[in-house]
Amino acid sequence: MHIWPGSQHPLGATFDGGGTNFAIFSEVAERIELCLFDEDGTESRVDLPERNGLVWHGYLPRVGPGQHYGYRVHGPYDPAAGLRCNPAKLLLDPYARAIDGSITWGEELFAYRFGDPESTNDADSAPKMMTSVVVNPYFDWDGDRPLRVPYNESIIYEAHVKGMTMTHPGIPDDVRGTYAGLAHPVMIEHLKSLGVTAVELMPVHQFVHDSTLVERGLKNYWGYNSIGFFAPHNGYASFGTAGEQVLEFKTMVRALHRAGIEVILDVVYNHTAEGNHLGPTLSFRGIDNRAYYRLVDDDPRYYYDTTGTGNSLNVRHHESLRLIMDSLRYWVTEMHVDGFRFDLASSLAREFHEVDRLAAFFDLVNQDPVVSRVKLIAEPWDVGEGGYQVGGFPPLWTEWNGRYRDTVRDFWRGEPASLGEFAARFTGSSDLYEADNRRPIASINFVTAHDGFTLEDLVAYNEKHNEANGEDNNDGESHNRSWNHGAEGPTDDPAVHALRERQKRNILTTLLLSQGVPMIAHGDELGRTQQGNNNVYCQDNELSWIDWKQAREHDVLTAFTSRLTALRAAHPIFRRQRFFQGRAIHGSSVDDIAWLRPDGRHMQDDDWHRDRAPVVMIYLNGQGIPDRDQVGERIVDDSFLLLLNAGHHQQMFTLPDEAFGRAWTIEVDTADPLLASSRRHPQPNGRLRIPPRSMLVLRCTVR
């Protein structure tokens, strides 16, 4: 087989219409073999002929899309020195645009013999391995352009590609659980009816099913075990996995964009599926272990792990950083995604030990003309020094606000002395973000997510019930700030059921009317339950999938959620771009925001610290919005009054005087979701009786 020199750029396998250029980085390699596989699995090998700037490369004419390939790297094998090359192990291309097949776990995938970690295993891993695939880069985007929905107008919907559609009766069987299924008109119509502006997809980078799970008859459902940072996961493809998954993913993005819905990817750049020093050799470990992974400084046999997965990507090395940035740019430019949520983002900023706001990764993102323009969402947590880093990311970044989650849960459980913290979170968490000149949009507000209880389970269980995971219920968070409202799990008690439904509406109303960017967990609007399991990472089955037949029983909740998103979209007072100041508006005696006691008077210092269930009124002044519209005109909105009773007993509220508003209309009543008996028009200084655990939203159209 005759191979041409080719080019060192770009990395990966690049088809140009006449052939394919192959390029791979390795500083430690002495020789690299390109391995080509026929349809029957027959392997042919050819040495990459050129090495330039630590990149090995070659060009094969007449090799095109659909070609399966991999690499074998010849170089030093000295684990004590952090060197782990072994040409017996077939390696995935770190820049592979598509990956075919799945791993068949066996000793051949490991560099040592089981039971003897000091031994060397030269068994060929190819029969057990996945293969990289050359893809066709050409696709008709038909005029697709970035939507660039402003953060303050965004409503994010966290979704799982497979779980969203596996049971939907309106989707053909052959595309359920796939990219095509998510792009089906019935799914797009559901998302549009909810008013969401973006889907945040749980990991779609090619991932691996852990051997420990496979041995227990389980699977990696969430996907936080990446091995291919450029390849859409082949398990979500319906039309083939020899490159077809790339076209199917692009088609999905195009369809969602046409519906006005952005696509945000949950990405896992902090670690890979190769695990710790006893893990398999699948790709990075065998190519250049010291470049790609952070090793223990005084004993490079072992991996420096801030992720809890066995390894951490080496963000101190230029090649790892290039890999991450190239991947991000690829997904934006070639796959047209609109942003990223970074799993364990703190680990990407640990060049040494502590999270560094000046880390090279942040600098690269900030300077990049492509990546800096899309949505960047950090999960501000890892297991390294300092732990939880919410509020610690630099400008340009937004953050999953776990403090918002905990506070809202505590508030509606009626936890005493939670009102002050609630006020900070409801108004956009200025204490976390304002000092960095960030705005309320820096706070991605959520109450539930994939990691934890669903909304249905949050109000139905006091304790986690994770027995199905096979870990004796030791996995998952134990302190969930949940409340079963009188019965653990399903119940026929109508009083308990009614209270639970009211609490779900309370939480959703709070979430969608808070300052910041709201995120809804998929299925919460449908009453999705995981039967008390708060860690379904390994449950690729009906336990974690949305049950669309059961969802029909929650039409009231679904419609209620849609009304809330419509209310938020219609009123800029709920999506301000700047923090409240708590000061009177020029020409008025009324503040831009006011916190009022149930008797209609302003809250005093002692009121914030009383050891009782929180009961409060919040006044939002539509005349006090400091923002301007796209043509520079002042934004003016209706004013709103929110009455919140998180206590065990009904509460009498006295509305404030005419200075706050002369005519009020009830827009939301969580105790009466259909507003069947709420067609009243409360008057200034009037009195309203609010049931326990409920919330009322009033709108003033005339001041």
Side-chain angles (χ1 to χ4, degrees):
M1 184 182 302
H2 184 62
I3 187 168
W4 299 358
S7 173
Q8 70 185 98
H9 300 296
L11 291 171
T14 306
F15 174 67
D16 62 7
T20 300
N21 189 80
F22 296 88
I24 180 173
F25 162 87
S26 179
E27 185 175 0
V28 300
E30 300 165 356
R31 172 188 164 207
I32 295 182
E33 292 179 294
L34 171 64
C35 308
L36 304 179
F37 294 88
D38 297 337
E39 291 184 3
D40 62 1
T42 301
E43 180 182 354
S44 302
R45 304 182 190 180
V46 58
D47 282 10
L48 292 178
E50 296 290 332
R51 184 186 188 188
N52 191 351
L54 306 180
V55 173
W56 299 74
H57 54 91
Y59 181 93
L60 284 176
R62 296 180 297 281
V63 167
Q67 175 64 61
H68 291 63
Y69 72 100
Y71 293 107
R72 297 182 186 271
V73 176
H74 298 255
Y77 183 77
D78 184 3
L83 301 168
R84 296 181 177 270
C85 299
N86 185 340
K89 310 305 171 187
L90 181 72
L91 305 175
L92 292 171
D93 182 357
Y95 280 72
R97 270 56 171 182
I99 294 173
D100 192 24
S102 59
I103 287 176
T104 303
W105 287 106
E107 191 178 64
E108 299 91 332
L109 296 168
F110 296 79
Y112 61 93
R113 297 289 181 184
F114 289 172
D116 186 8
E118 302 300 320
S119 64
T120 301
N121 181 358
D122 291 328
D124 184 8
S125 68
K128 303 282 187 177
M129 268 294 291
M130 303 181 287
T131 53
S132 308
V133 184
V134 179
V135 305
N136 184 352
Y138 306 108
F139 181 78
D140 183 7
W141 282 103
D142 194 24
D144 184 75
R145 293 289 187 273
L147 297 177
R148 303 200 187 283
V149 179
Y151 272 115
N152 70 308
E153 297 178 10
S154 297
I155 298 174
I156 299 173
Y157 189 83
E158 186 195 35
H160 190 282
V161 171
K162 187 173 185 179
M164 278 291 294
T165 63
M166 276 300 293
T167 73
H168 201 296
I171 297 176
D173 291 348
D174 59 341
V175 297
R176 292 182 183 178
T178 69
Y179 306 119
L182 191 59
H184 192 278
V186 301
M187 286 307 308
I188 288 179
E189 181 56 36
H190 177 72
L191 294 171
K192 288 178 65 176
S193 71
L194 279 181
V196 301
T197 66
V199 290
E200 182 178 300
L201 300 179
M202 293 179 64
V204 297
H205 288 174
Q206 185 70 46
F207 60 84
V208 171
H209 296 291
D210 316 67
S211 61
T212 54
L213 295 179
V214 174
E215 290 167 359
R216 304 205 309 265
L218 301 171
K219 290 183 180 179
N220 182 342
Y221 175 64
W222 285 348
Y224 293 98
N225 203 26
S226 301
I227 196 62
F229 296 120
F230 295 78
H233 183 61
N234 57 29
Y236 302 149
S238 62
F239 302 132
T241 59
E244 294 89 349
Q245 63 264 53
V246 178
L247 301 178
E248 187 172 338
F249 184 92
K250 290 178 177 179
T251 302
M252 176 196 72
V253 173
R254 187 179 63 189
L256 288 166
H257 280 181
R258 285 174 175 171
I261 300 170
E262 295 186 314
V263 179
I264 298 171
L265 301 188
D266 191 339
V267 290
V268 189
Y269 293 112
N270 52 77
H271 74 281
T272 79
E274 291 186 297
N276 63 16
H277 63 288
L278 298 177
T281 301
L282 307 175
S283 181
F284 309 91
R285 189 194 306 275
I287 295 170
D288 198 324
N289 189 57
R290 295 191 302 198
Y292 283 118
Y293 293 115
R294 186 167 177 185
L295 309 178
V296 176
D297 291 336
D298 58 357
D299 193 352
R301 178 189 302 271
Y302 302 105
Y303 294 85
Y304 183 86
D305 179 18
T306 59
T307 65
T309 63
N311 66 61
S312 300
L313 218 63
N314 186 9
V315 292
R316 297 189 294 185
H317 194 281
H318 62 85
E319 194 58 35
S320 289
L321 287 172
R322 176 164 70 164
L323 173 80
I324 295 171
M325 296 306 299
D326 284 351
S327 171
L328 293 171
R329 281 190 293 270
Y330 173 79
W331 285 98
V332 175
T333 59
E334 299 297 321
M335 307 295 268
H336 284 210
V337 305
D338 304 279
F340 305 94
R341 180 265 190 187
F342 292 80
D343 176 69
L344 305 188
S346 300
S347 66
L348 299 175
R350 294 187 186 275
E351 293 186 352
F352 295 96
H353 298 282
E354 298 182 351
V355 173
D356 185 358
R357 294 163 58 97
L358 303 176
F361 173 67
F362 291 141
D363 280 344
L364 289 172
V365 169
N366 192 59
Q367 298 170 25
D368 191 279
V370 174
V371 180
S372 64
R373 297 187 66 189
V374 302
K375 290 182 169 66
L376 302 170
I377 305 170
E379 181 192 29
W381 180 87
D382 64 12
V383 297
E385 185 176 334
Y388 196 44
Q389 301 287 327
V390 65
F393 284 75
L396 191 67
W397 287 76
T398 65
E399 304 174 24
W400 266 28
N401 191 345
R403 288 181 64 176
Y404 179 95
R405 171 199 61 203
D406 295 346
T407 299
V408 172
R409 291 184 178 192
D410 279 345
F411 182 90
W412 284 112
R413 288 195 303 153
E415 286 293 300
S418 61
L419 187 53
E421 180 78 4
F422 175 82
R425 303 305 145 233
F426 180 82
T427 55
S429 296
S430 61
D431 57 326
L432 300 177
Y433 306 117
E434 192 171 26
D436 296 324
N437 293 313
R438 287 191 281 175
R439 297 181 174 185
I441 58 170
S443 181
I444 306 297
N445 298 330
F446 68 103
V447 182
T448 58
H450 69 273
D451 191 1
F453 281 139
T454 67
L455 182 59
E456 178 76 19
D457 292 352
L458 185 68
V459 301
Y461 294 90
N462 283 350
E463 308 295 336
K464 63 184 181 182
H465 298 270
N466 296 357
E467 290 80 6
N469 298 348
E471 299 181 42
D472 298 323
N473 207 34
N474 292 318
D475 60 312
E477 177 61 57
S478 297
H479 183 44
N480 294 284
R481 294 179 164 86
S482 59
W483 178 29
N484 65 21
H485 297 83
E488 189 75 357
T491 180
D492 294 327
D493 189 323
V496 172
H497 178 74
L499 181 54
R500 289 176 177 177
E501 291 300 309
R502 193 156 71 245
Q503 287 282 61
K504 287 191 288 185
R505 294 190 290 268
N506 289 333
I507 290 170
L508 285 169
T509 303
T510 305
L511 172 66
L512 287 162
L513 301 188
S514 293
Q515 303 299 314
V517 182
M519 185 186 78
I520 303 170
H522 76 284
D524 276 356
E525 79 283 6
L526 304 168
R528 185 175 77 90
T529 179
Q530 295 172 170
Q531 301 175 23
N533 192 314
N534 71 353
N535 191 26
V536 293
Y537 76 101
C538 59
Q539 299 296 324
D540 186 7
N541 51 50
E542 289 84 355
L543 181 66
S544 56
W545 304 337
I546 291 178
D547 184 347
W548 284 97
K549 293 181 179 179
Q550 185 267 342
R552 297 174 181 175
E553 301 174 8
H554 296 270
D555 288 345
V556 171
L557 182 63
T558 305
F560 184 83
T561 307
S562 296
R563 290 209 333 266
L564 287 172
T565 59
L567 183 67
R568 180 182 180 90
H571 293 283
I573 189 66
F574 299 120
R575 39 187 178 84
R576 290 166 50 111
Q577 299 186 59
R578 291 172 174 81
F579 292 107
F580 289 101
Q581 298 301 307
R583 296 195 293 261
I585 305 305
H586 182 69
S588 170
S589 61
V590 181
D591 298 343
D592 60 351
I593 185 172
W595 295 84
L596 307 172
R597 303 188 313 197
D599 61 6
R601 299 180 179 180
H602 285 271
M603 294 275 289
Q604 303 299 312
D605 288 346
D606 290 346
D607 294 319
W608 292 102
H609 305 290
R610 290 188 177 179
D611 191 20
R612 64 184 184 190
V615 179
V616 69
M617 283 191 292
I618 311 171
Y619 172 74
L620 306 178
N621 191 342
Q623 302 288 323
I625 303 173
D627 310 327
R628 302 280 175 171
D629 62 20
Q630 292 183 344
V631 295
E633 296 294 325
R634 181 187 172 209
I635 296 176
V636 178
D637 193 13
D638 299 332
S639 296
F640 284 81
L641 190 65
L642 282 63
L643 287 65
L644 295 86
N645 178 16
H648 296 280
H649 308 288
Q650 66 178 10
Q651 178 71 49
M652 187 67 73
F653 284 82
T654 301
L655 301 190
D657 59 32
E658 288 189 354
F660 291 83
R662 294 192 297 270
W664 296 97
T665 301
I666 296 176
E667 291 289 330
V668 178
D669 185 350
T670 62
D672 181 15
L674 301 178
L675 297 179
S677 59
S678 299
R679 305 189 185 281
R680 296 167 289 165
H681 296 279
Q683 300 299 310
N685 299 310
R687 305 186 76 192
L688 289 174
R689 193 182 305 275
I690 307 299
R693 311 289 184 188
S694 64
M695 179 175 178
L696 202 64
V697 179
L698 310 181
R699 178 169 61 93
C700 174
T701 55
V702 179
R703 290 195 65 236

